[in-house]
Amino acid sequence: MVKNILKGVVIGLANVIPGVSGGTMMVSMGIYDKLIHCITHLFSEFKKSVLFLLPIFIGIGIAVVVVPFGIEFLFAEYPFETNLLFVGLIVGGLPAVWKNVKGKSIKIGHLLACIAFFAVVAGLALMGEKEGNAADLSFSFLSVIKLFGVGIVASATMVIPGVSGSMMLLLMGYYHPILESITDFISAVFAFDMAGIMHGMGILIPFGIGVVAGIFAIAKLVEIIFEKFPMYAYWAIIGLILSSPVAIFLMGGVGSITVLSVAVGAAALAVGFVVALKLGE
């Protein structure tokens, strides 16, 4: 229970950071296949699925509520060290994926899948250097539909290993507005500010409904791909994992590098690697 909550925290943390993939962290911790199965079989295997999903989603919820308050500070003050921590978390999960292809024949198609998905993530990161047009957060029918659609796109990409849902939000111009809406809503709840609470709900509810719809829609597609083309899927994921560190540094930058930052960064990299390795066992 506690271990799955911690896994959920890591997934939620990853989903908040542009360039970091929550799906990759699921793979790294060895729960991706089971999580997808539980989502797609939620109603046919309700009790079993809920017992597995609940602690993970509790952890994700904790991360989504807490992380926005500190993440911008960490990336502003310690970008190199923070990025290396996430690189460690991602690379530490590579052994869990590699064991699925180790000792098996490698086809040209497998390598092409790996290269293609590496290029997709790196390309998205390059395009994500500038945020898109300002998001429309006014309370209107059109903005509600937009938020629902944005939630679908963001969550669908969150489930795909190697693709960052928060990076997609950044590309669509909704990353910082959604992040600010979460922090403003939490602050309004603690301050008992009803106007702020209602404003936050008007933004976060349609977005949240879109997130749930997107997760269920893409999960079934992913399950079919793993059933029909497992080796191609694993090689694609390897490409996505290998490209994630590139995407992280393209999206986050490194700031000023000193001897101390390199030392702390190396330690953060090692910690992230070990944590991912242990959570994947």
Side-chain angles (χ1 to χ4, degrees), residues 4-126:
N4 279 346
I5 290 176
L6 290 175
K7 289 180 179 181
V9 170
V10 172
I11 294 166
L13 187 61
N15 277 328
V16 175
I17 313 302
V20 184
S21 168
T24 299
M25 300 314 304
M26 296 174 200
V27 173
S28 298
M29 294 181 290
I31 62 171
Y32 188 76
D33 293 353
K34 188 173 181 180
L35 190 141
I36 292 296
H37 178 85
C38 288
I39 291 173
T40 56
H41 295 80
L42 178 62
F43 298 107
S44 59
E45 301 175 10
F46 186 75
K47 184 177 179 180
K48 177 183 173 183
S49 296
V50 168
L51 288 174
F52 179 74
L53 292 173
L54 186 60
I56 291 174
F57 278 97
I58 288 173
I60 292 173
I62 292 170
V64 169
V65 168
V66 174
V67 170
F69 287 94
I71 200 62
E72 291 189 1
F73 168 79
L74 287 175
F75 274 97
E77 298 296 325
Y78 311 103
F80 183 68
E81 299 91 326
T82 306
N83 281 324
L84 279 176
L85 172 64
F86 280 97
V87 169
L89 285 168
I90 292 168
V91 176
L94 193 56
V97 183
W98 182 254
K99 68 182 181 182
N100 292 292
V101 300
K102 186 179 179 180
K104 298 179 181 179
S105 60
I106 302 174
K107 298 179 180 179
I108 295 296
H110 298 159
L111 297 178
L112 289 176
C114 181
I115 294 168
F117 279 82
F118 181 99
V120 166
V121 175
L124 285 173
L126 284 170

Side-chain angles (χ1 to χ4, degrees), residues 132-155:
N133 296 326
D136 178 14
L137 297 182
S138 61
F139 189 71
S140 65
F141 178 75
L142 183 60
S143 68
V144 167
I145 296 299
K146 281 185 179 179
L147 285 165
F148 176 75
V150 167
I152 289 177
V153 173
S155 65

